[in-house]
Amino acid sequence: MKTEIIRIDPVRPEPYKLEYCGAVLRYGGLVAFPTETVYGLGANAFLDNAVRKVFEAKGRPADNPLIVHVAYYASAESAGEFADGRQRNLFYALGAKFWPGPLTMIIKKRSVIPDSVSCGLDTVGIRMPSNRIAAGLLRAARVPIAAPSANSSGRPSPTRFEHVLEDMYGKVDVIIDGGECSVGVESTVLDLNGPEPTVLRPGAVTREDIARVAGTCGEYGWSSADLHVDKPRSPGMKYRHYAPKARMLMFSGTPDAVRRAILARLRAEKTAGKRVGVLETEEQICYYNEADVLLSLGPENEPRAHAQALFAALRQFDAAGVDVIFARALEAEGVDDAVMNRMFRAAGGTVLPAEE
Ligand code: AMP
Ligand code: MG
């Protein structure tokens, strides 16, 4: 397939380019576009055929549903037509507070959304992105857009145009080159169907943020054996994901204990002739000069910087031909909950305790 590349200004998106890309979407084409979280791969959510092509382009498992993206309006009310009566108040309250932004709400599905979007579930995830290109594109498309992250299934999500090019060139109609994603990890997925709102996938809107509006907020624990269960609440959670080609080993413990554990393993791997990478915070990275590739997650106490850096770093290790990546499990607080969720799954679901 011929892929068209269109550069759009992230600060002042050119209206004629948005109109063009919006029309490609409306008539059933696939367009990869930046959002504030990661790049998305969009299709007209009302067109069954277009939605199917998204699964094909990504190699996405057929039971992993897509999030439906809606345009920015003055309030969340127009999107509320998707919600059923019981959920509507909570949906509006959370939408008023966090939309446009990195929050996806799972509500009962209306029949206008084809089964191919929800993979047969009776629920659907809805999000209103804030990124200017995404918002303008959705307005120009004049239809809701089903969009997963624009990576090949299983690979780290794309936070830059170059990442999308790597995975999607030749498989989609248009790739928009629209700069870097500011958040860097996917949206918070919040289920509104239970007795209390429940976070299924952590993101930049934290459980505490939601509880402040909703009064209460549950969390579907991700760090336990959830990765291996057959029928998780959110189908996407069961797949090994975000994985670099290199083996990733994650250690928990104090920074000192982790440093000793990593250095010991690192030397063993080097002796065995392996290329080694270390992913650490700015404060710790200086201790690993023996590694072949050192990448920083940013300052220890800036979780938002970690989120922004993670996926690009994983892809950079791959580009540098690293065999093993060592990383430390950070305290999963605030946005670091989302960062650790992704890192944990990139590491295949195991964290090694570093001995004191
Ligand atoms: P991605 O589009 O790659 O960010 O993945 C979307 C995530 O949202 C996956 O983890 C899905 O399993 C989850 N998701 C989408 N729709 C639903 C739904 N109706 N119920 C539960 N999880 C959903
Ligand atoms: Mg994804």
Side-chain angles (χ1 to χ4, degrees):
M1 182 192 281
K2 190 181 167 306
T3 299
E4 208 176 338
I5 289 165
I6 301 183
R7 219 197 115 62
I8 302 187
D9 187 331
V11 182
R12 291 161 157 263
E14 299 86 344
Y16 73 96
K17 294 183 182 175
L18 295 174
E19 282 302 326
Y20 174 77
C21 296
V24 172
L25 281 170
R26 187 162 62 254
Y27 296 117
L30 301 190
V31 177
F33 62 99
T35 81
E36 67 277 19
T37 57
V38 302
Y39 271 76
L41 176 57
N44 183 338
F46 292 151
L47 299 181
D48 202 48
N49 273 342
V51 171
R52 282 177 206 287
K53 285 193 290 181
V54 169
F55 283 83
E56 246 167 70
K58 280 185 60 97
R60 185 171 175 102
D63 65 348
N64 194 4
L66 307 185
I67 291 169
V68 173
H69 294 70
V70 294
Y72 177 74
Y73 299 99
S75 72
E77 265 164 51
S78 355
E81 65 199 51
F82 288 105
D84 81 0
R86 197 174 63 85
Q87 296 169 325
R88 207 164 282 170
N89 289 342
L90 193 51
F91 183 84
Y92 285 160
L94 290 167
K97 175 76 183 169
F98 299 111
W99 278 3
L103 174 69
T104 296
M105 290 188 264
I106 309 281
I107 56 179
K108 282 270 172 294
K109 184 175 93 66
R110 292 283 182 92
S111 56
V112 285
I113 303 290
D115 284 342
S116 49
V117 170
S118 60
C119 298
L121 297 178
D122 62 350
T123 57
V124 63
I126 314 263
R127 176 166 112 79
M128 184 188 288
S130 63
N131 173 288
R132 287 186 193 175
I133 294 175
L137 179 67
L138 289 165
R139 194 169 338 113
R142 300 199 275 281
V143 288
I145 299 299
S149 50
N151 52 290
S152 301
S153 202
R155 296 265 295 139
S157 296
T159 56
R160 299 179 185 166
F161 162 71
E162 292 74 20
H163 303 161
V164 182
L165 203 59
E166 225 170 71
D167 286 14
M168 290 299 147
Y169 190 78
K171 296 182 179 168
V172 302
D173 296 285
V174 175
I175 300 178
I176 295 177
D177 176 358
E180 246 181 86
C181 301
S182 57
V183 174
V185 293
E186 303 86 343
S187 60
T188 305
V189 174
L190 184 72
D191 188 0
L192 297 188
N193 297 287
E196 67 169 354
T198 303
V199 172
L200 301 183
R201 176 177 73 183
V205 174
T206 65
R207 190 179 158 192
E208 295 74 37
D209 295 334
I210 293 160
R212 247 175 265 130
V213 176
T216 165
C217 182
E219 184 170 34
Y220 189 66
W222 52 261
S223 54
S224 58
D226 293 339
L227 191 61
H228 306 290
V229 299
D230 279 342
K231 262 203 165 297
R233 291 266 295 277
S234 188
M237 298 299 271
K238 77 181 179 196
Y239 299 105
R240 175 156 187 262
H241 213 137
Y242 319 116
K245 289 170 194 141
R247 193 154 45 93
M248 181 151 164
L249 297 176
M250 205 170 154
F251 290 85
S252 65
T254 62
D256 283 354
V258 169
R259 190 192 313 148
R260 280 193 298 274
I262 291 181
L263 282 173
R265 289 290 288 261
L266 184 157
R267 285 167 191 151
E269 296 286 350
K270 294 281 296 174
T271 310
K274 303 282 188 213
R275 262 174 86 72
V276 174
V278 175
L279 180 63
E280 252 291 7
T281 59
E282 204 58 48
E283 289 87 337
Q284 296 296 323
I285 199 78
C286 55
Y287 297 107
Y288 298 99
N289 282 334
E290 295 163 58
D292 298 288
V293 183
L294 303 177
L295 294 177
S296 167
L297 280 171
E300 182 86 25
N301 59 5
E302 285 182 31
R304 279 172 200 282
H306 309 161
Q308 231 250 332
L310 177 67
F311 287 136
L314 295 182
R315 282 183 184 254
Q316 210 176 320
F317 282 122
D318 279 349
V322 159
D323 301 297
V324 194
I325 303 166
F326 293 104
R328 174 167 54 98
L330 305 175
E331 203 65 56
E333 263 164 29
V335 178
D336 268 342
D337 190 28
V339 177
M340 287 304 108
N341 167 280
R342 306 316 189 266
M343 217 195 256
F344 173 75
R345 300 179 64 216
T350 31
V351 178
L352 308 165
E355 279 166 36
E356 285 298 325

